Amino acid sequence: MDFEFNAEQKALQQLARQVAKEKVAPRAAEMDETGEYPEDIFAVFRDTGLLGVGLPEEYEGSGLGITGLAIAVEETAKYCNSSALMLLLTRLGTSAILFGGTDAQKKHYLPAVATGRMRSAFALTEPGAGSDSGNISTSARRDGKHYVLNGTKQWISGATVADFFIVAVKTTPGIGNKGMSVFIVEKDTPGFRVGAHNKKMGVKGVPTAELIFEDARVPAENLLGRENEGFKLVMANLNSLRPVVAARGLGTAEGCVAYALQYARERETFGKKLIEHQAINFMLAELAMQIEAARLLTYQAAKMVDDGKVGKQAAPYFSMAKAFASELANRAAYDCMQIMGSYGYSTEYPMERYFRDARQLTIVEGTSQIQRVIIANALIDGDLKY
Ligand SMILES: Cc1cc2nc3c(=O)[nH]c(=O)nc-3n(C[C@H](O)[C@H](O)[C@H](O)COP(=O)(O)OP(=O)(O)OC[C@H]3O[C@@H](n4cnc5c(N)ncnc54)[C@H](O)[C@@H]3O)c2cc1C
């Protein structure tokens, strides 16, 4: 196995690192305080080509795949998780099109996202169904050249700025995941609107909101894949993004350690620098070990997606990366806040923002418990053999 990034990936890492340090980092605290979507950072990502990193060259992306996107997201999350999420959304709201769209759908939506002319979001969760996606109740019924959608989605990241949504619905109720279909819904669809914001503790720069469908009329050609076969697409979409969520966790953990290490080099207690106390430097050593483990899991999983493995056999590896790195981000924020004492808890310093931002990572795109269900099932079914 080759653990080195190739020349193109290294160049991307350098670019993303520079953009994160020079453009993103100075804006991170402000976007957290105001909760406003940072159009200026979106423009920076567009102008530097970072929006298109995860999309194929034939659709005006740079063709660096999920590995490339994970690299860009890791570098960005070192300073700002909201900005990392903006990059992640370039695939969360398009992977299903990439995997199951027609040529016309791909040509219409993918270049627009890669170049920043359109923004997308992914809508599965509802008030009554999160982990249990087979229980969604938003419905779609065929009516001539349209489908008519009814229901409510919630917690949709980027909803307020999205131009179109990948929406999971039930076309046949009562048969769980087998009755699911997926539609592309444009923001100005009659009968559709973005509802209230879901107020939240972190990642405030990317608003999260409800979607409301009241007899929303969606053209039949906006069906993605085949009717009642949407669950596979939803899973492929989620699976392909788990390495990128892992990269958010990895970058967050690295950001925490870098900040706490610098602090510990400067702060003195009992006549020594903090870093000279073993109780402190062992905490950082422990996190460094786990960061390196998370890195291997994350990029192994990313490579699997880029090699075309997004199905059941690869699923436990995506789950391991996602659960491990997102839990690590939380441990890192917790321990690094401890290292900084009261300054870690202060809103004048970034650690409490890292702490709040990290918390959602074990909940979104499959909770830590659901990742363990997937890993356990792979053991039981023999997909994971030791
Ligand atoms: C900030 C944020 C952004 C989000 N963005 C999006 C988005 O863009 N698009 C979207 O569709 N959704 C989004 N979500 C929703 C997110 O994906 C769901 O919150 C998540 O899937 C969990 O669903 P739930 O909150 O309904 O919890 P539930 O499914 O009700 O689970 C509650 C608890 O029970 C546990 N649990 C459930 N079932 C099992 C089981 N079988 N075994 C063991 N434990 C179990 C869970 O792990 C969890 O701890 C977002 C959520 C947040 C907080």
Side-chain angles (χ1 to χ4, degrees), residues 131 231 235 238-239 242 311-320 322 365-384:
S131 309
F231 182 63
M235 285 321 297
L238 287 172
N239 278 343
R242 283 186 180 141
K312 186 169 174 282
Q313 264 80 30
Y317 297 99
F318 305 142
S319 293
M320 288 180 199
K322 196 272 174 181
E365 292 180 57
T367 65
S368 278
Q369 289 70 36
I370 294 302
Q371 306 309 335
R372 284 171 174 77
V373 169
I374 293 167
I375 298 164
N377 284 342
L379 285 167
I380 294 164
D381 293 351
D383 289 335
L384 261 186

Side-chain angles (χ1 to χ4, degrees), residues 85 89 92 121-133 153-159 166 198 200-203 206 208 238 248 360-371 373:
L85 176 57
L89 283 171
L92 185 64
F122 174 77
L124 175 63
T125 305
E126 300 184 354
S131 309
D132 186 6
S133 58
K153 298 285 178 186
Q154 68 175 15
W155 286 110
I156 308 310
S157 298
I166 302 296
N198 298 117
K200 54 184 178 173
M201 73 184 278
V203 194
V206 177
T208 310
L238 287 172
R248 280 175 78 189
Q360 68 145 316
L361 295 174
T362 62
I363 297 171
V364 297
E365 292 180 57
T367 65
S368 278
Q369 289 70 36
I370 294 302
Q371 306 309 335
V373 169

Side-chain angles (χ1 to χ4, degrees), residues 274-291:
L274 272 186
I275 193 68
E276 292 165 31
H277 293 293
Q278 197 178 66
I280 298 294
N281 63 36
F282 267 26
M283 268 200 253
L284 292 168
E286 182 67 32
L287 290 171
M289 270 196 279
Q290 294 179 16
I291 282 170

